[in-house]
Amino acid sequence: MPDNNDCIFCKIIAGEIPSKIVFQDDLLIAIEDISPTAPVHILIIPREHIDSLNEVNHSHSEILSQIQIKAAVIAREMNIDQNGYRLVNNCGEWGGQTVMHLHYHLLGGRKMTWPAG
Ligand code: AMP
Ligand code: ZN
């Protein structure tokens, strides 16, 4: 089982650390990133502690599909849907993951560059 005792996102989900919540339901929470890299930078986080995309299996299919569906809903609400946006998962050390609780970055409000590097 993953160790979530010191997980910052579990603490945010538990309300032990403050955050700016933009959406929540029984599966997910979406918050403003504390250190945004774009005018819109939202983190979409499952309530269940999952270390990374490396840990997912078919039992997570509802969570994973809801992340993309809610990303699209939030993008519409934040008016970044027409110009476009990016939904990113960083997995593991080489993927640039710094918080070991699965999450996706919804980035928009400026033109993204590619390759991401
Ligand atoms: P990653 O590097 O993909 O694991 O992304 C982790 C993200 O969490 C970074 O963009 C951080 O800025 C963000 N972050 C870390 N701590 C907090 C916090 N307390 N509230 C909101 N975002 C946070
Ligand atoms: Zn966690």
Side-chain angles (χ1 to χ4, degrees):
M1 287 293 286
D3 177 11
N4 62 7
N5 285 341
D6 286 322
C7 174
I8 193 162
F9 288 170
C10 282
K11 287 181 176 156
I12 285 173
I13 289 160
E16 294 166 9
I17 293 177
S19 65
K20 290 188 181 164
I21 299 171
V22 299
F23 170 85
Q24 58 181 325
D25 64 13
D26 55 336
L27 284 181
L28 307 177
I29 184 168
I31 64 170
E32 291 182 6
D33 196 293
I34 202 166
S35 183
T37 62
V40 174
H41 189 165
I42 305 296
L43 301 175
I44 304 174
I45 309 168
R47 288 186 184 276
E48 178 182 342
H49 181 95
I50 304 163
D51 276 359
S52 78
L53 205 54
N54 276 336
E55 314 302 323
V56 304
N57 56 50
H58 284 288
S59 77
H60 300 113
S61 57
E62 181 64 14
I63 288 171
L64 294 172
S65 71
Q66 283 298 319
I67 286 170
Q68 295 211 50
I69 291 165
K70 291 304 185 309
V73 169
I74 294 166
R76 273 196 293 278
E77 286 175 358
M78 302 228 160
N79 292 315
I80 58 172
D81 57 317
Q82 292 305 311
N83 282 336
Y85 54 88
R86 184 168 289 165
L87 185 65
V88 178
N89 170 257
N90 297 326
C91 180
E93 185 186 351
W94 280 22
Q97 185 176 5
T98 59
V99 177
M100 291 304 290
H101 179 134
L102 180 71
H103 57 280
Y104 286 68
H105 299 253
L106 174 63
L107 298 156
R110 67 167 169 81
K111 193 169 171 61
M112 299 293 146
T113 57
W114 189 260

